[in-house]
Amino acid sequence: MVNVLEGKVAVVTGAARGIGEASARRFVEEGARVVLGDVLDELGEALADSLGSSALYRHADVTQPGQVQALVDTAVEEFGGLHIMFNNAGTMGALQPDFLEEDFLTFRKTIEINLLGPMLGASYAARHMARNGGGCILSTASSSALYGGYGIIPYRATKAGVVSMTKSLAVELGKYGIRVNSISPGPTRTPMTAVMDGAPEDKVEELADISMECMRGRMPLGRLGAPEDIANAAVFLASDLAAQITGVDLAVDGGETLGNMENTAEIIQQRLTEALSK
Ligand SMILES: NC(=O)c1ccc[n+]([C@@H]2O[C@H](COP(=O)([O-])OP(=O)(O)OC[C@H]3O[C@@H](n4cnc5c(N)ncnc54)[C@H](O)[C@@H]3O)[C@@H](O)[C@H]2O)c1
């Protein structure tokens, strides 16, 4: 793709690192100007500096309506408009939440960042886009929204909410020329998968390796995602190449959600062999 976002202005939330950083970089490479929002100000400022005059960083906690609105206002005031709103900020929540013991603080925090955040982003962006010829609203959901699974239940539920919001908003906003889509990454190597709340510092890398390795077994393509894989999908969906695509959740997951049970098959085989050898 060469300059497929030329002339477009984007807001990316959760832009300081991981998938948001890779997307901001790819958006700029493709000709867009980008307002970066995050709560990690040092990283965000450094990224904006490295992207030159095509990027600006603003502190923006996506759970705070005024701060999300300010991102949209900055895009309009500094870059002359807003064509792409990428609601990407997210949190996984606690490392091993026990659903029966929860004090609900993790529930609330996860819902606010992962679901309220994209709703606020979509709402403020749509108000501008509806009056200015349309645009594209994109959100990062997750492959974990697409099937049931053990643990991180608030995370899975909020990401399913993002997929649902996307489909209904696509219906509601189509008449304004606003396309609304989401991307569901599969396991992707980013700081999020290395640093989970509650992980002891000296175990962070080891725990991340174990969980990512287990997940890789479910992926027919046999490799973990890279932030750039998701960023490339975001570039496509945000561009006019996707002009007829709305209400879609695009899985970028190496086939994880196809139901490959390789891990389970291996375990069954191992147990059968053990039973036969007794
Ligand atoms: N990495 C994966 O395997 C994976 C898989 C599926 C979905 N996702 C989703 O992709 C998105 C990006 O995650 P990532 O893997 O790059 O993780 P990451 O932790 O590297 O990046 C998330 C970013 O969001 C920011 N953020 C968190 N809370 C915020 C808030 N209240 N306001 C503004 N910014 C906030 C963080 O500071 C960080 O920069 C998330 O929505 C995540 O749920 C990731």
Side-chain angles (χ1 to χ4, degrees), residues 119-135:
M119 275 190 196
L120 295 174
S123 182
Y124 285 117
R127 290 171 204 205
H128 172 82
M129 291 172 180
R131 291 193 302 268
N132 291 278

Side-chain angles (χ1 to χ4, degrees), residues 99-183:
F99 200 80
L100 305 184
E101 301 290 335
E102 260 293 338
D103 57 10
F104 308 132
L105 289 177
T106 306
F107 286 9
R108 188 183 295 278
K109 182 178 156 201
T110 308
I111 291 166
E112 286 186 353
I113 296 174
N114 292 1
L115 190 52
L116 176 66
M119 275 190 196
L120 295 174
S123 182
Y124 285 117
R127 290 171 204 205
H128 172 82
M129 291 172 180
R131 291 193 302 268
N132 291 278
C136 163
I137 296 170
L138 197 56
S139 303
T140 311
S142 168
S143 62
S144 68
L146 309 178
Y147 57 91
Y150 176 79
I152 54 167
I153 287 162
Y155 182 77
R156 294 176 189 281
T158 54
K159 294 301 186 176
V162 168
V163 174
S164 173
M165 175 192 85
T166 295
K167 291 183 191 302
S168 293
L169 271 183
V171 173
E172 178 113 359
L173 300 177
K175 61 177 178 286
Y176 300 112
I178 302 174
R179 298 185 299 108
V180 191
N181 296 296
S182 59
I183 297 174

Side-chain angles (χ1 to χ4, degrees), residues 13-21 37-40 43 59-64 67 86-92 109 112-114 118 139-144 155 159 183-193 195 212 215 225 227 230 252 256:
T13 68
R17 67 183 194 190
I19 291 166
E21 174 187 355
D38 207 295
V39 290
L40 301 176
L43 283 181
H59 177 95
D61 179 339
V62 296
T63 68
Q64 303 302 314
Q67 295 182 26
F86 189 11
N87 300 303
N88 167 74
T91 182
M92 189 113 74
K109 182 178 156 201
E112 286 186 353
I113 296 174
N114 292 1
S139 303
T140 311
S142 168
S143 62
S144 68
Y155 182 77
K159 294 301 186 176
I183 297 174
S184 278
T188 305
R189 213 58 217 248
T190 68
M192 172 184 279
T193 52
V195 185
M212 292 306 261
M215 291 191 272
I230 319 304
V252 184
E256 185 202 13

